[in-house]
Structures are given as C-alpha cells and as structure tokens.
Amino acid sequence: MSCRRGLSLVLLLFLIHLASALETGAINATGTAHRRRLSRRQVLELRKKLNNINKPAVHTIRSPDGDIIDCVLISNQPAFDHPLLKDHKLQVKPDFWPDQEDGAASTESSPGDDKVSYQLWHQSGECPEGTVPIRRTTIDDILRVGGSVSRYGRKARPPPNPRRIRPPEPAQGSHEHAIAFINGGQYYGAQASLNVWKPAIQVPNEFSLSQMWLLAGSFYGDLNSIEAGWQVSPLLYGDSNPRLFTYWTSDAYRTTGCYNLLCSGFIQLGRSIAIGATISPLSLLNGAQYDIRILIWKDPRTKNWWMRFGPGILLGYWPAELFTHLGDHASMIEWGGEIVNTAPRGHHTATQMGSGHFPSQGFGQASYFRNLGYVDGTNKLKTQVMLQTLAEHPNCYDILRATSGDWGNYFYYGGPGQNPRCQQ
C-alpha cells in the first residue's frame, strides 16, 4: 500500500511540473513567434536597448524557475541613469525609522497562524557584498508586450479612486478592485502584512495583484504613486509565479515610472531580495499561510521614501527628486487586490484575485491584509486606522474588514471571478 502511495505522489509531482512547463512554454511561445518575424537589424537594436537595462554583473545566479539574477554593483544599477539623479547623493541607510505607537498590535506572526515568504532564487546562491540582485530582462520579455522597450514594465491606468465615478475603461480590459483605504489626512508611510497565493490567470494578457498604494495629486492628471506588493503577470514575466513588485509614477502613469527596476528611479541597497523575483513558499488552502511584510515611509530629513521588506530587510528607496506631490506627503493610502478583466469569449474573466476564494471563507481559504497602519507627521506608526472599503464588482471579488488584538486592522478580500453570480 505504501509503495502505491509513493508512486501516486511521484505521478502527482510529475503532472504538476508538466503542467507548469506547458504553461510557461505556451506563454513564451508568444515571444518566440514575434522573434521569428524580426529582422536581424531589429534584433540587434533590441539587444542594444537591453544592454541599457541589464547592467554588467559581478556574479550571476540561475534560479530554479528559469530567472537569471544578476548581481550588479550598487553604483552601477539602473537608478542612476535617471536625469534627475545625476547629482544624487546615495543614502546608505535611513536617518529615521517610524516609531511604534503605544499599545499597537504586534507585527510579528502569531504562532501557528502564518509564516514568512522569501524568494525562490535563494536556493541557487546569494549576491556578494556591495552588489544588488536584479532580475535580467530578456528579448522574449520585451516581445511579449509587442517589442516596445519604452512601454515594457509600465501600467496603463491609475489605481481606483473611491471619491468619484471612474471613467470608461480602456480597450485592453477593465481593471477591477477590492480595496480598503484611508484619505483626507497627511500620510508619511504605510505598512501591511499580506499572505501570498498563486491565483489562476485565464488569459496571458490579464494579471492579478495584491498591493498597497501611497497616493498624492490628481488621479487623472499629475498623480504621484508609490506601490509595492505581489503579482502574477504572465505578460510581464513569462510565467504564472507570484512575484514581489514595486511601482512608481509622478504623472498618473503617462510617461514616468515603471515596475521594479525596469526603468531608472528606485535605488536598491539590499542584496538578499530581488524585486520582480518569484516568492516562495506560498500559502496553502486550509494549510500553512505565508505572508510578506512591507513598510514604506518617508525619511523626514532627506525626504526619500524607504521600503523595508520582511522583519528587517532594507530594500532601498525612491529618491525625493522623482516626485512632486509626494515630495511632501501622501493624501490617500490604499490596500487590496486588482485584476484585469478582458472579458474572454464575451464573459467575465475567471482570473482569480488573491486566493480565488471569497473573503467570507476566512482564514486558511481567503487572502488577507493584516496589521495595517500609516505613519503620521510626527514619524509615529499609527495602527488605529478608520478604514473604508470598495469592491466594484462584489459578486466577482469582495472585501470584508475587521479588527483583532493580534492582527490589528485587517481584512479578507478576493474571489474567483466568473461564477454563477458573476458573468459579465
């Protein structure tokens, strides 16, 4: 009997790996087909542009998921190509950290409840001191989005604006959200712990993400945004792995900013976390829950916006020079999930948000954000947050907020997309 169980387990693992390989192969076939249509001159031009994105590596690591991680000298990273940062003085560490308010809920994991996620490439090595790990961009990455280096890694529209009716969605698909938010104050940072899943994506040009936004300015004019979380985006990465991401813009996503380090701007300092790399391990249905903890705050002296990952890893910062409105403070913070719905075959997408389960199903099944907080003008981390919520299509993706002693302000969110109550 035990031998039969062993064979069944081996067969199951084989089928999982086969499905993953077929999925990745189908996605990458798009880039390969585009490459066949390129002339030699076009390929050479693309390679030249890629050389501007991929900086010389001191050391290279091949991740089990197929990523190549380049260990690049801190001084050679893409950030310093930005014209506003030519004379920027590198800040090695923040001058000020947010102070925890008295009586705040602990940000540590509750025993047996949840665990910490890190990254898959750690299985293959580490970057040396004085370098930062950067996921290498390939020709196929660019070709999957039509071969445009200038548009690769950029969002097409602003985040949800709870204060007004949203304009018609663009042709590439509607963006749907389930979020919690605070607004009307002056915010100098935000934090959250969010568990990580692998939501199913119905078609490759859709995505599913879970993140927090720090926002200032006009949503449809000069919006400034700093963002971080995890996402599944076959078009951007060539697979369906959940990955850590960051984003920034200073003009409502028109010409500035990008995901991760795909353009100049964010300055990375830590050598243990690669932005854009696969997160591992992942949460399991009715099993162990793995989350990532993110804290973003503004250094009161330098005005740079810092990001901490996990219990104490300084990832880097967004320099003050990049922003206009965020040169002062954020006026809104949002936490939650977002998907793209391209309405395949005329029906609502089956792309999942979060775990793919509705928030009413609770711990072990639904996705969560916990220990929410913001940094106030005195550099104190405030965890007593008056949350509002927004779910644009609650029959498809919903949100349910609550509070507790261990988790402070938290919420469950997400959903399966297409279901008997969600067809259009």
Side-chain angles (χ1 to χ4, degrees):
M1 179 71 97
S2 61
C3 178
R4 194 173 295 171
R5 280 192 190 133
L7 286 172
S8 298
L9 178 60
V10 170
L11 179 60
L12 175 61
L13 290 172
F14 170 76
L15 290 173
I16 290 171
H17 284 293
L18 178 61
S20 177
L22 290 172
E23 168 195 66
T24 302
I27 295 168
N28 286 333
T30 303
T32 304
H34 278 300
R35 190 190 294 208
R36 291 196 189 105
R37 293 197 292 267
L38 292 177
S39 67
R40 178 177 174 80
R41 180 181 62 81
Q42 289 172 314
V43 171
L44 290 174
E45 286 178 354
L46 270 180
R47 288 194 183 280
K48 183 179 179 181
K49 291 177 180 178
L50 282 175
N51 287 338
N52 293 329
I53 298 174
N54 298 320
K55 301 301 182 181
V58 172
H59 180 61
T60 294
I61 298 169
R62 295 186 178 274
S63 175
D65 61 356
D67 280 356
I68 298 176
I69 305 297
D70 289 326
C71 303
V72 177
L73 289 173
I74 290 175
S75 58
N76 284 350
Q77 64 182 291
F80 298 109
D81 291 339
H82 198 290
L84 295 177
L85 303 181
K86 293 299 183 183
D87 299 318
H88 179 81
K89 183 178 179 181
L90 181 69
Q91 187 179 6
V92 177
K93 60 181 181 180
D95 292 320
F96 297 91
W97 293 74
D99 297 320
Q100 186 89 2
E101 68 178 343
D102 294 336
S106 170
T107 57
E108 298 302 321
S109 300
S110 302
D113 281 352
D114 38 50
K115 306 179 189 307
V116 176
S117 281
Y118 285 105
Q119 294 191 312
L120 194 61
W121 68 273
H122 293 158
Q123 298 177 17
S124 302
E126 62 180 16
C127 284
E129 293 280 356
T131 68
V132 292
I134 301 178
R135 178 183 180 271
R136 186 181 298 178
T137 302
T138 68
I139 284 184
D140 284 341
D141 288 335
I142 306 294
L143 293 179
R144 279 195 306 274
V145 295
S148 171
V149 175
S150 63
R151 292 306 307 167
Y152 175 65
R154 290 192 168 171
K155 289 189 176 184
R157 62 170 298 110
N161 181 0
R163 294 177 294 193
R164 59 184 283 185
I165 298 173
R166 306 182 69 214
E169 299 283 359
Q172 67 264 33
S174 91
H175 290 232
E176 300 178 16
H177 307 83
I179 63 165
F181 65 95
I182 54 175
N183 69 324
Q186 296 184 3
Y187 311 114
Y188 297 84
Q191 77 162 13
S193 293
L194 51 157
N195 60 345
V196 185
W197 297 82
K198 187 176 182 178
I201 309 297
Q202 183 171 353
V203 292
N205 59 335
E206 297 180 339
F207 67 66
S208 180
L209 59 77
S210 300
Q211 68 167 89
M212 61 184 187
W213 295 258
L214 291 92
L215 305 165
S218 168
F219 272 78
Y220 304 106
D222 57 358
L223 184 73
N224 286 203
S225 181
I226 289 174
E227 308 170 23
W230 61 265
Q231 67 180 163
V232 174
S233 178
L235 201 62
L236 186 60
Y237 302 106
D239 60 29
S240 292
N241 295 333
R243 295 170 177 270
L244 174 70
F245 82 92
T246 61
Y247 201 95
W248 71 273
T249 182
S250 61
D251 65 352
Y253 306 90
R254 292 175 180 172
T255 61
T256 63
C258 62
Y259 280 113
N260 309 332
L261 304 183
L262 296 175
C263 67
S264 53
F266 183 84
I267 295 176
Q268 186 168 341
L269 294 173
R271 68 186 179 100
S272 58
I273 298 296
I275 306 172
T278 298
I279 298 171
S280 178
L282 305 176
S283 298
L284 300 172
L285 193 64
N286 296 317
Q289 301 298 294
Y290 292 90
D291 63 25
I292 58 174
R293 190 189 315 166
I294 296 173
L295 170 65
I296 296 172
W297 78 101
K298 184 180 180 183
D299 187 317
R301 188 183 71 82
T302 63
K303 316 300 183 187
N304 298 325
W305 289 85
W306 282 84
M307 177 174 170
R308 188 186 74 182
F309 178 85
I313 300 171
L314 274 177
L315 197 55
Y317 63 91
W318 292 269
E321 295 94 323
L322 297 177
F323 302 106
T324 53
H325 297 289
L326 283 174
D328 190 2
H329 61 268
S331 56
M332 177 178 285
I333 300 171
E334 297 177 352
W335 299 267
E338 176 183 359
I339 64 95
V340 169
N341 170 28
T342 61
R345 300 187 182 92
H347 296 285
H348 192 285
T349 183
T351 285
Q352 299 173 338
M353 180 188 293
S355 66
H357 290 259
F358 282 113
S360 58
Q361 295 179 264
F363 186 82
Q365 297 192 47
S367 291
Y368 63 74
F369 277 68
R370 64 182 179 92
N371 296 121
L372 304 182
Y374 70 91
V375 180
D376 70 7
T378 66
N379 202 40
K380 181 163 287 190
L381 183 60
K382 310 288 283 187
T383 55
Q384 301 302 312
V385 182
M386 297 297 293
L387 289 177
Q388 301 178 68
T389 60
L390 169 70
E392 295 150 330
H393 302 275
N395 288 334
C396 308
Y397 315 102
D398 207 357
I399 184 168
L400 183 64
R401 72 178 188 268
T403 60
S404 75
D406 289 336
W407 279 19
N409 281 275
Y410 71 93
F411 61 85
Y412 291 108
Y413 71 101
Q418 185 182 128
N419 67 77
R421 296 186 302 142
C422 173
Q423 293 292 325
Q424 299 295 331

